[in-house]
Amino acid sequence: MTLVLTLQPDDPTPPYQQVRRQLADLITAGLLGPGDRLPPLRQLAGDLGVAVGTVGRAYRELEQEGLLTSRRGGGTRVAAHARAPEGGRRQLLEGMAAEFVARARTLGFTDEEIIVALGRQLPS
Amino acid sequence: MTLVLTLQPDDPTPPYQQVRRQLADLITAGLLGPGDRLPPLRQLAGDLGVAVGTVGRAYRELEQEGLLTSRRGGGTRVAAHARAPEGGRRQLLEGMAAEFVARARTLGFTDEEIIVALGRQLPS
DNA sequence: GGCTTTGTGTCAAGCCCTCGGCACAAGCTA
DNA sequence: TAGCTTGTGCCGAGGGCTTGACACAAAGCC
């Protein structure tokens, strides 16, 4: 599949962190599996409008975490043992859901309001 | 009420941005209304473990947006005309919900999976 | 073998953010 | 009036991030 990575300019999060996080999530969610090849440094950097070193840093850190394997001339691929540890996919989604609900509650929204808002997004 | 502001150390977002966003959300959500007083600079800075100038910057930017009014010696309060423009409270929540659902979908989760995950967080 | 691709490393420069401290001005309070 | 509180401004120092450029090494391709 064609990798869809985006950068949000108004987001104060450093670009290399945005790339790093998105790739990690894609792997944990299973959209990127072991052996899948990532875009070359220069190509991804060009698409995102950032310097080569910026994307390089994201790749490097993910490799240090064991999620990617990089070889000169061979490109960067998802590591063989990068599969989420037993239900990581579900945990990722539930973490996102818990985070969203918690934030809404601290802002004073009731559970009913939250459910109504979600109903507009999901064909229940 | 006692203001509950928190800083996430592992979050690469600059502290002054975190404070600024949380306060803006609290006002939009209606938990902070016109005339409500915010903690003094030095107190909030001490609680969060940041420098005075850091919190000061958050206050200053929010004042420039018209959400706060600051006076030397008088403290900082929510501006009189700071109420969200007609349904801002609802829009805030729906924006959060839309963002959450969109992110989950781009990670390959089906609507059913999303609903199930939310069901664990909300007593439906 | 020769060329291209690709990841890695370095470097200087600049910008943004934070810190800690200090001084100052304006409002509030006793 | 006198003192405290509070927001504002400035400063130098330090750290993190990005940029742009260049060189290098290893793998793949013809």
Side-chain angles (χ1 to χ4, degrees):
Chain A
M1 72 170 284
T2 54
L3 208 40
V4 272
L5 289 180
T6 57
L7 278 189
Q8 316 227 338
D10 53 328
D11 191 338
T13 305
Y16 91 92
Q17 292 266 27
Q18 293 187 42
V19 174
R20 187 192 158 288
R21 180 176 186 271
Q22 288 182 46
L23 288 177
D25 284 350
L26 285 172
I27 294 174
T28 303
L31 279 191
L32 284 179
D36 285 351
R37 179 164 187 183
L38 300 183
L41 277 183
R42 292 165 179 78
Q43 176 185 322
L44 182 53
D47 291 348
L48 296 180
V50 298
V52 178
T54 301
V55 178
R57 179 168 182 181
Y59 279 13
R60 209 177 318 133
E61 293 197 0
L62 287 171
E63 186 181 16
Q64 290 176 347
E65 298 177 30
L67 291 181
L68 302 179
T69 57
S70 294
R71 286 183 309 172
R72 289 172 178 169
T76 301
R77 297 174 180 274
V78 178
H81 324 287
R83 235 194 344 228
E86 192 59 35
R89 176 179 154 82
R90 170 170 302 181
Q91 286 183 5
L92 174 62
L93 179 59
E94 296 211 359
M96 288 170 52
E99 188 181 350
F100 160 71
V101 172
R103 193 156 95 84
R105 280 177 176 156
T106 62
L107 287 177
F109 293 103
T110 66
D111 286 355
E112 295 182 49
E113 287 178 307
I114 299 176
I115 292 175
V116 169
L118 285 168
R120 285 188 224 279
Q121 306 294 330
L122 294 166
S124 56
Chain B
M1 74 168 285
T2 55
L3 209 42
V4 272
L5 289 180
T6 56
L7 279 189
Q8 315 225 339
D10 53 329
D11 191 338
T13 305
Y16 91 92
Q17 292 266 27
Q18 294 187 42
V19 174
R20 185 192 159 290
R21 181 175 185 273
Q22 288 182 45
L23 287 177
D25 284 349
L26 285 173
I27 294 174
T28 303
L31 280 191
L32 284 179
D36 286 352
R37 180 164 186 183
L38 300 183
L41 278 182
R42 292 164 178 80
Q43 176 185 321
L44 182 54
D47 291 349
L48 297 179
V50 299
V52 178
T54 302
V55 178
R57 179 167 185 182
Y59 279 13
R60 209 176 319 132
E61 293 198 0
L62 287 171
E63 187 182 15
Q64 290 176 347
E65 298 178 30
L67 291 181
L68 301 181
T69 57
S70 294
R71 287 184 307 174
R72 289 173 178 167
T76 301
R77 298 175 179 275
V78 178
H81 323 288
R83 239 197 337 235
E86 192 60 34
R89 175 178 155 82
R90 170 170 301 178
Q91 286 184 5
L92 174 63
L93 179 58
E94 297 210 358
M96 288 170 52
E99 188 181 350
F100 161 71
V101 172
R103 194 157 94 83
R105 280 178 177 156
T106 61
L107 287 176
F109 291 105
T110 67
D111 287 354
E112 294 181 48
E113 287 178 307
I114 298 175
I115 293 176
V116 170
L118 285 168
R120 284 188 225 279
Q121 306 294 329
L122 294 167
S124 55

